[in-house]
Protein backbone atom coordinates (compact mmCIF):
# COMPACT_ATOMS: atom_id res chain seq x y z
CA UNK A 1 0.00 0.00 0.00
CA UNK A 2 1.37 3.41 -0.99
CA UNK A 3 1.09 6.20 1.53
CA UNK A 4 1.60 9.89 0.87
CA UNK A 5 1.91 12.67 3.42
CA UNK A 6 0.39 15.93 2.22
CA UNK A 7 0.39 19.31 3.95
CA UNK A 8 -3.02 20.89 3.32
CA UNK A 9 -4.23 24.49 3.41
CA UNK A 10 -0.75 25.81 2.74
CA UNK A 11 1.51 26.63 -0.20
CA UNK A 12 4.74 25.56 1.53
CA UNK A 13 5.93 22.30 3.07
CA UNK A 14 5.97 21.74 6.82
CA UNK A 15 3.08 24.15 7.34
CA UNK A 16 -0.69 23.75 7.17
CA UNK A 17 -2.15 20.45 8.34
CA UNK A 18 -0.42 17.15 7.50
CA UNK A 19 -2.60 14.26 6.35
CA UNK A 20 -1.86 10.71 5.39
CA UNK A 21 -3.42 9.70 2.06
CA UNK A 22 -3.88 6.04 1.10
CA UNK A 23 -5.40 5.25 -2.31
CA UNK A 24 -6.74 1.71 -2.07
CA UNK A 25 -7.26 -0.78 -4.91
CA UNK A 26 -10.79 -1.47 -6.11
CA UNK A 27 -12.64 -4.08 -4.07
CA UNK A 28 -13.84 -4.41 -0.48
CA UNK A 29 -12.64 -2.18 2.30
CA UNK A 30 -9.82 -3.50 4.49
CA UNK A 31 -10.77 -4.29 8.07
CA UNK A 32 -11.43 -1.21 10.20
CA UNK A 33 -8.83 -2.42 12.69
CA UNK A 34 -6.18 -2.27 9.97
CA UNK A 35 -7.17 1.26 8.95
CA UNK A 36 -7.02 2.37 12.58
CA UNK A 37 -3.57 0.84 13.05
CA UNK A 38 -2.22 2.55 9.95
CA UNK A 39 -3.61 5.88 11.15
CA UNK A 40 -2.13 5.39 14.60
CA UNK A 41 1.24 4.50 13.05
CA UNK A 42 1.26 7.67 10.92
CA UNK A 43 0.08 9.68 13.94
CA UNK A 44 -1.11 12.67 11.93
CA UNK A 45 -4.34 14.49 12.86
CA UNK A 46 -6.16 12.55 10.11
CA UNK A 47 -5.42 9.87 7.53
CA UNK A 48 -7.73 9.55 4.53
CA UNK A 49 -8.42 6.24 2.82
CA UNK A 50 -10.01 6.42 -0.63
CA UNK A 51 -11.52 3.47 -2.50
CA UNK A 52 -12.31 3.72 -6.24
CA UNK A 53 -15.96 3.10 -7.14
CA UNK A 54 -17.28 1.39 -10.30
CA UNK A 55 -18.25 3.50 -13.31
CA UNK A 56 -21.82 4.71 -13.15
CA UNK A 57 -21.85 5.43 -9.42
CA UNK A 58 -22.81 8.91 -8.22
CA UNK A 59 -19.27 9.32 -6.86
CA UNK A 60 -15.80 8.48 -8.13
CA UNK A 61 -14.28 7.41 -4.82
CA UNK A 62 -15.50 6.51 -1.36
CA UNK A 63 -13.55 8.27 1.37
CA UNK A 64 -13.05 7.59 5.07
CA UNK A 65 -10.98 9.46 7.65
CA UNK A 66 -9.26 8.23 10.81
CA UNK A 67 -7.53 10.12 13.61
CA UNK A 68 -4.92 8.22 15.63
CA UNK A 69 -7.79 7.07 17.89
CA UNK A 70 -11.17 7.10 16.09
CA UNK A 71 -12.90 7.20 12.73
CA UNK A 72 -13.98 10.76 11.90
CA UNK A 73 -17.34 11.66 10.38
CA UNK A 74 -15.91 14.55 8.32
CA UNK A 75 -12.47 15.97 7.60
CA UNK A 76 -11.67 18.90 5.34
CA UNK A 77 -7.89 18.94 5.20
CA UNK A 78 -7.54 15.21 4.49
CA UNK A 79 -10.16 15.49 1.74
CA UNK A 80 -8.18 18.34 0.21
CA UNK A 81 -5.01 16.25 0.52
CA UNK A 82 -6.72 13.32 -1.23
CA UNK A 83 -7.96 15.49 -4.11
CA UNK A 84 -4.46 16.93 -4.47
CA UNK A 85 -3.01 13.40 -4.60
CA UNK A 86 -5.51 12.22 -7.21
CA UNK A 87 -4.78 15.29 -9.36
CA UNK A 88 -1.02 14.80 -8.98
CA UNK A 89 -1.32 11.18 -10.12
CA UNK A 90 -3.59 11.97 -13.09
CA UNK A 91 -6.60 10.20 -11.60
CA UNK A 92 -9.12 13.05 -11.80
CA UNK A 93 -11.93 12.93 -14.35
CA UNK A 94 -11.88 16.47 -15.69
CA UNK A 95 -11.13 19.10 -13.06
CA UNK A 96 -13.12 17.65 -10.17
CA UNK A 97 -13.59 14.53 -8.07
CA UNK A 98 -16.71 13.29 -6.30
CA UNK A 99 -16.27 11.59 -2.93
CA UNK A 100 -18.91 9.47 -1.23
CA UNK A 101 -18.79 9.83 2.54
CA UNK A 102 -20.64 7.69 5.07
CA UNK A 103 -22.05 10.53 7.18
CA UNK A 104 -22.26 13.54 4.85
CA UNK A 105 -23.15 12.08 1.47
CA UNK A 106 -21.55 13.52 -1.65
CA UNK A 107 -18.53 15.81 -1.23
CA UNK A 108 -16.95 17.43 -4.29
CA UNK A 109 -13.45 18.83 -4.78
CA UNK A 110 -12.65 21.11 -7.73
CA UNK A 111 -9.11 21.72 -9.00
CA UNK A 112 -8.29 25.30 -9.98
CA UNK A 113 -5.84 26.46 -12.62
CA UNK A 114 -3.53 27.92 -9.96
CA UNK A 115 -3.25 24.68 -7.99
CA UNK A 116 -5.89 25.64 -5.44
CA UNK A 117 -8.61 23.14 -4.61
CA UNK A 118 -12.15 24.02 -3.59
CA UNK A 119 -14.15 21.67 -1.40
CA UNK A 120 -17.96 21.73 -1.57
CA UNK A 121 -19.21 20.80 1.93
CA UNK A 122 -22.54 21.17 3.78
CA UNK A 123 -22.78 24.23 6.03
CA UNK A 124 -23.03 23.75 9.78
CA UNK A 125 -25.01 26.67 11.28
CA UNK A 126 -24.29 27.40 14.94
CA UNK A 127 -26.88 27.90 17.69
CA UNK A 128 -26.04 29.81 20.87
CA UNK A 129 -25.94 27.78 24.08
CA UNK A 130 -24.97 28.56 27.68
CA UNK A 131 -21.28 28.39 28.52
CA UNK A 132 -20.67 24.77 29.62
CA UNK A 133 -19.51 24.19 33.15
CA UNK A 134 -15.73 24.07 33.33
CA UNK A 135 -15.06 25.74 29.97
CA UNK A 136 -13.71 28.97 31.47
CA UNK A 137 -11.30 27.03 33.65
CA UNK A 138 -10.26 24.75 30.75
CA UNK A 139 -9.52 27.68 28.43
CA UNK A 140 -8.20 30.10 31.01
CA UNK A 141 -10.36 32.89 29.56
CA UNK A 142 -14.06 33.77 29.64
CA UNK A 143 -15.69 33.58 26.19
CA UNK A 144 -18.08 36.19 24.85
CA UNK A 145 -20.42 33.44 23.65
CA UNK A 146 -20.64 29.71 22.93
CA UNK A 147 -22.49 27.98 20.10
CA UNK A 148 -23.22 24.34 19.18
CA UNK A 149 -22.56 23.43 15.56
CA UNK A 150 -25.26 20.80 15.14
CA UNK A 151 -24.24 17.56 13.43
CA UNK A 152 -20.64 18.77 13.14
CA UNK A 153 -20.44 18.27 16.90
CA UNK A 154 -18.21 21.16 17.95
CA UNK A 155 -18.53 23.98 20.45
CA UNK A 156 -17.77 27.28 18.71
CA UNK A 157 -16.32 29.59 21.35
CA UNK A 158 -15.95 33.32 20.69
CA UNK A 159 -13.12 35.21 22.43
CA UNK A 160 -12.80 39.00 22.75
CA UNK A 161 -10.07 39.49 20.14
CA UNK A 162 -7.47 37.88 17.92
CA UNK A 163 -4.71 38.32 20.50
CA UNK A 164 -6.68 36.23 23.00
CA UNK A 165 -7.02 33.39 20.46
CA UNK A 166 -3.32 33.42 19.65
CA UNK A 167 -2.28 33.53 23.32
CA UNK A 168 -4.56 30.70 24.43
CA UNK A 169 -2.87 27.90 26.41
CA UNK A 170 -5.75 25.59 27.35
CA UNK A 171 -5.75 22.70 29.81
CA UNK A 172 -6.02 19.84 27.30
CA UNK A 173 -6.96 17.28 29.94
CA UNK A 174 -9.87 19.47 31.02
CA UNK A 175 -10.85 20.04 27.37
CA UNK A 176 -10.90 16.27 26.78
CA UNK A 177 -13.08 15.66 29.82
CA UNK A 178 -15.47 18.49 28.87
CA UNK A 179 -15.91 17.32 25.28
CA UNK A 180 -16.60 13.74 26.36
CA UNK A 181 -19.12 14.92 28.95
CA UNK A 182 -20.89 17.24 26.50
CA UNK A 183 -20.81 14.82 23.55
CA UNK A 184 -18.58 17.10 21.47
CA UNK A 185 -16.01 16.37 18.78
CA UNK A 186 -13.91 19.38 19.79
CA UNK A 187 -13.67 23.05 20.73
CA UNK A 188 -13.38 25.80 18.09
CA UNK A 189 -11.98 29.04 19.50
CA UNK A 190 -12.39 32.10 17.30
CA UNK A 191 -12.35 35.90 17.07
CA UNK A 192 -12.58 38.58 14.40
CA UNK A 193 -9.31 39.60 12.77
CA UNK A 194 -7.60 42.65 14.21
CA UNK A 195 -7.15 44.28 10.81
CA UNK A 196 -7.71 43.42 7.15
CA UNK A 197 -4.11 44.33 6.31
CA UNK A 198 -3.20 40.84 7.53
CA UNK A 199 -5.25 39.31 4.72
CA UNK A 200 -7.79 37.42 6.81
CA UNK A 201 -11.20 38.18 8.30
CA UNK A 202 -11.24 35.90 11.35
CA UNK A 203 -8.90 33.61 13.27
CA UNK A 204 -9.48 30.27 14.92
CA UNK A 205 -7.90 27.35 16.73
CA UNK A 206 -9.26 23.85 17.25
CA UNK A 207 -8.80 21.35 20.08
CA UNK A 208 -10.00 17.72 20.12
CA UNK A 209 -7.72 15.87 22.57
CA UNK A 210 -10.30 13.17 23.35
CA UNK A 211 -10.13 12.12 19.68
CA UNK A 212 -6.35 12.04 19.57
CA UNK A 213 -5.87 15.61 18.27
CA UNK A 214 -4.52 17.88 21.04
CA UNK A 215 -4.53 20.89 18.68
CA UNK A 216 -5.42 20.55 15.02
CA UNK A 217 -3.16 22.71 12.81
CA UNK A 218 -5.85 23.66 10.25
CA UNK A 219 -9.42 22.37 10.48
CA UNK A 220 -11.29 22.59 7.18
CA UNK A 221 -14.51 21.09 8.56
CA UNK A 222 -14.68 23.68 11.36
CA UNK A 223 -14.91 26.37 8.68
CA UNK A 224 -18.27 24.97 7.55
CA UNK A 225 -19.52 26.58 10.76
CA UNK A 226 -17.06 29.48 11.01
CA UNK A 227 -17.95 30.77 7.52
CA UNK A 228 -21.70 31.30 8.09
CA UNK A 229 -21.05 32.44 11.67
CA UNK A 230 -18.68 35.25 10.67
CA UNK A 231 -20.62 36.10 7.52
CA UNK A 232 -23.60 37.00 9.70
CA UNK A 233 -21.38 39.20 11.90
CA UNK A 234 -19.35 40.86 9.16
CA UNK A 235 -22.08 42.50 7.13
CA UNK A 236 -23.35 39.40 5.35
CA UNK A 237 -20.23 39.01 3.21
CA UNK A 238 -20.32 35.64 1.47
CA UNK A 239 -16.56 35.41 0.86
CA UNK A 240 -14.19 35.40 3.83
CA UNK A 241 -10.67 34.27 4.65
CA UNK A 242 -9.97 32.34 7.82
CA UNK A 243 -6.54 32.07 9.43
CA UNK A 244 -5.91 29.17 11.80
CA UNK A 245 -3.40 30.37 14.36
CA UNK A 246 -1.78 27.07 15.30
CA UNK A 247 1.98 26.64 15.43
CA UNK A 248 2.00 25.48 11.76
CA UNK A 249 -0.70 27.99 10.66
CA UNK A 250 -2.91 27.74 7.60
CA UNK A 251 -5.34 29.71 5.45
CA UNK A 252 -8.86 28.66 4.41
CA UNK A 253 -10.79 30.71 1.86
CA UNK A 254 -14.54 30.36 2.33
CA UNK A 255 -17.61 31.16 0.24
CA UNK A 256 -21.26 30.61 1.11
CA UNK A 257 -23.56 28.98 -1.45
CA UNK A 258 -26.95 28.51 0.17
CA UNK A 259 -26.71 25.56 2.54
CA UNK A 260 -23.19 24.73 1.29
CA UNK A 261 -19.78 26.17 2.10
CA UNK A 262 -16.88 26.25 -0.36
CA UNK A 263 -13.48 25.80 1.27
CA UNK A 264 -10.44 26.80 -0.79
CA UNK A 265 -6.79 26.00 -0.21
CA UNK A 266 -3.56 24.62 -1.61
CA UNK A 267 -1.64 21.47 -0.70
CA UNK A 268 1.95 20.22 -0.91
CA UNK A 269 3.12 16.58 -1.01
CA UNK A 270 6.08 16.11 1.33
CA UNK A 271 6.55 12.34 1.52
CA UNK A 272 5.83 9.15 -0.43
CA UNK A 273 6.23 5.72 1.17
CA UNK A 274 5.18 2.08 0.89
CA UNK A 275 3.60 0.10 3.68
CA UNK A 276 5.53 -3.19 3.65
CA UNK A 277 3.65 -5.22 6.29
Amino acid sequence: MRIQIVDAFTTRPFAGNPAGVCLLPAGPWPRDSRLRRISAELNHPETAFALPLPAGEEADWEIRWFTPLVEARLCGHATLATAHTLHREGLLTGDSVRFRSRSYGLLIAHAGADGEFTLDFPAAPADEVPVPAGLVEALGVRPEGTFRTGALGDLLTVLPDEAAVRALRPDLGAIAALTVREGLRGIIVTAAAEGHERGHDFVSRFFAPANGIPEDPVTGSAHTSLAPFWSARLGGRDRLVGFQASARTGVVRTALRGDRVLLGGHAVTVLEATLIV
Side-chain angles (χ1 to χ4, degrees):
M1 179 188 296
R2 289 180 60 218
I3 297 173
Q4 301 189 42
I5 306 301
V6 179
D7 291 340
F9 292 114
T10 182
T11 58
R12 56 189 176 88
F14 313 121
N17 201 350
V21 177
C22 299
L23 303 182
L24 302 173
W29 278 94
R31 295 188 304 274
D32 286 6
S33 60
R34 182 170 175 80
L35 302 182
R36 280 195 288 268
R37 286 173 179 173
I38 293 170
S39 301
E41 185 75 9
L42 294 179
N43 201 33
H44 288 307
E46 303 268 359
T47 296
F49 298 89
L51 187 79
L53 296 174
E57 295 274 353
E58 67 167 357
D60 307 302
W61 296 74
E62 186 172 6
I63 191 167
R64 297 173 69 183
W65 313 275
F66 287 79
T67 79
L69 294 181
V70 301
E71 181 170 7
R73 298 178 66 246
L74 184 67
C75 180
H77 89 276
T79 304
L80 173 59
T82 305
H84 165 83
T85 299
L86 291 169
H87 183 265
R88 186 169 176 264
E89 300 203 353
L91 296 175
L92 288 192
T93 301
D95 62 355
S96 65
V97 57
R98 301 167 300 168
F99 294 110
R100 184 173 72 196
S101 67
R102 297 192 169 190
S103 297
Y104 281 85
L106 193 65
L107 307 172
I108 301 174
H110 301 278
D114 63 348
E116 183 177 62
F117 287 83
T118 300
L119 307 179
D120 185 341
F121 276 20
D127 296 313
E128 189 164 14
V129 295
V131 176
L135 180 64
V136 174
E137 293 77 10
L139 293 179
V141 62
R142 181 170 296 280
E144 293 188 339
T146 49
F147 303 77
R148 291 289 292 246
T149 63
L152 189 62
D154 297 329
L155 185 74
L156 193 158
T157 305
V158 183
L159 296 192
D161 51 44
E162 179 172 338
V165 173
R166 290 176 177 269
L168 199 65
R169 299 293 182 270
D171 180 335
L172 293 176
I175 291 287
L178 187 153
T179 54
V180 170
R181 186 192 74 218
E182 299 291 331
L184 296 166
R185 177 182 73 155
I187 305 290
I188 306 168
V189 181
T190 187
E194 291 180 352
H196 293 298
E197 68 277 0
R198 295 193 177 189
H200 55 268
D201 301 289
F202 60 88
V203 297
S204 67
R205 292 172 69 186
F206 183 85
F207 305 94
N211 285 339
I213 308 173
E215 178 171 3
D216 199 32
V218 193
T219 316
S221 58
H223 286 73
T224 64
S225 188
L226 286 163
F229 180 86
W230 284 112
S231 174
R233 286 156 180 78
L234 297 175
R237 293 164 52 203
D238 62 358
R239 291 181 176 272
L240 298 170
V241 177
F243 178 81
Q244 196 146 334
S246 65
R248 292 173 62 103
T249 73
V251 174
V252 183
R253 279 169 281 281
T254 70
L256 299 184
R257 294 292 184 269
D259 63 352
R260 310 286 291 187
V261 176
L262 305 183
L263 307 173
H266 290 78
V268 181
T269 300
V270 297
L271 179 68
E272 293 181 341
T274 301
L275 185 69
I276 62 174
V277 297

